[in-house]
Amino acid sequence: MIEVRGISKRYREELVLRDITTALPTGKMVAFIGGNGAGKSTMLNIICRLIEPTGGTVRVDGRELKEWPSRELARVLTILGQSLHTPARLTVEELVAFGRFPHSGGRLTEADRRKIREALDFTGIWDLRARFLDELSGGQRQMAYIAMAIAQDTRYIFLDEPLNNLDMSRAVRIMKLLGRLVREREKTIYIVIHDINFVSFYADYVVALRKGVLCRQGPAEEMIRPEVLRAVYDMDIAIEPYGGKQFCVYYE
């Protein structure tokens, strides 16, 4: 379990997170929603120890975040941020192999290579394994990074806006793949996402932030409601049933 207690973050005079306390569910796809500047990415980066909070603490599986050795923590959680920079002349298979570093220390065993093959197969990019990253489309490259995270084989996977700049087909494919990770491999996915309909159709649980404050949280079916979404986005969003889910209409 991941527990956040009184987390705040200040950049100079701006308080971007304000005294957030919550326990995040496990074994689910948990979507973080809210407008730009709500603090979603900052919260993920603090939980993953990429940035220091101004105040408060984080506990991962009952242990203070600061007490985790870096390599040990990297066997428990992984994060894919918004900006992913790697050498262009790296092959897909070489990139995915980086996911095994916390386990192998750079000396791949047969068990590591098996995890790499499984990740390439699971994401459907085995045929791209020898291609260089700069030869791939944006969607293919994003799938390669997700394969790297899968190869790392952590309990918790954090994804910060992984659908940015993807076409509809690729975005749906990634969301379905993430759902399979939860159902078939018992992973916990924490994902920052802007498209509220992807949240409605694929997420199990929703954490909503607004102006640095934890606004609402709960099961997706309880969060995808007009009154809740108005509190989060300050706009009227109509809800229509579709395929057993709630479809959000916000184009008017």
Side-chain angles (χ1 to χ4, degrees), residues 67-139:
E67 296 175 357
W68 284 85
S70 295
R71 188 165 169 181
E72 188 177 348
L73 184 64
R75 295 173 187 159
V76 175
L77 62 81
T78 184
I79 182 170
L80 292 182
Q82 295 182 42
S83 300
L84 300 169
H85 301 292
T86 51
R89 301 312 289 176
L90 204 66
T91 67
V92 169
E93 189 167 9
E94 288 169 340
L95 173 70
V96 176
F98 276 125
R100 298 305 301 166
F101 188 84
H103 306 272
S104 69
R107 297 184 177 183
L108 295 176
T109 65
E110 182 51 40
D112 293 316
R113 297 186 188 281
R114 184 169 60 251
K115 290 288 186 181
I116 294 166
R117 290 194 295 270
E118 288 174 357
L120 290 167
D121 278 334
F122 192 84
T123 52
I125 58 171
W126 172 257
D127 59 331
L128 301 177
R129 65 191 183 280
R131 297 268 297 273
F132 290 105
L133 295 180
D134 63 352
E135 297 174 343
L136 304 181
S137 69

Side-chain angles (χ1 to χ4, degrees), residues 197 200-201 238-243 245-249:
N197 282 317
S200 179
F201 276 70
I239 305 294
E240 299 288 344
Y242 179 81
K245 299 289 186 177
Q246 299 291 82
F247 185 80
C248 304
V249 182

Side-chain angles (χ1 to χ4, degrees), residues 171-216:
V172 168
R173 180 180 171 190
I174 285 178
M175 292 304 294
K176 287 182 176 179
L177 183 144
L178 296 178
R180 287 181 57 206
L181 282 175
V182 173
R183 295 189 306 272
E184 298 174 15
R185 300 200 174 188
E186 299 181 338
K187 303 297 184 183
T188 299
I189 306 289
Y190 299 114
I191 179 171
V192 172
I193 188 168
H194 280 293
D195 190 318
I196 197 68
N197 282 317
F198 276 122
V199 174
S200 179
F201 276 70
Y202 294 103
D204 303 300
Y205 194 89
V206 179
V207 176
L209 298 175
R210 176 171 175 169
K211 297 180 180 179
V213 175
L214 180 58
C215 178
R216 303 280 185 92

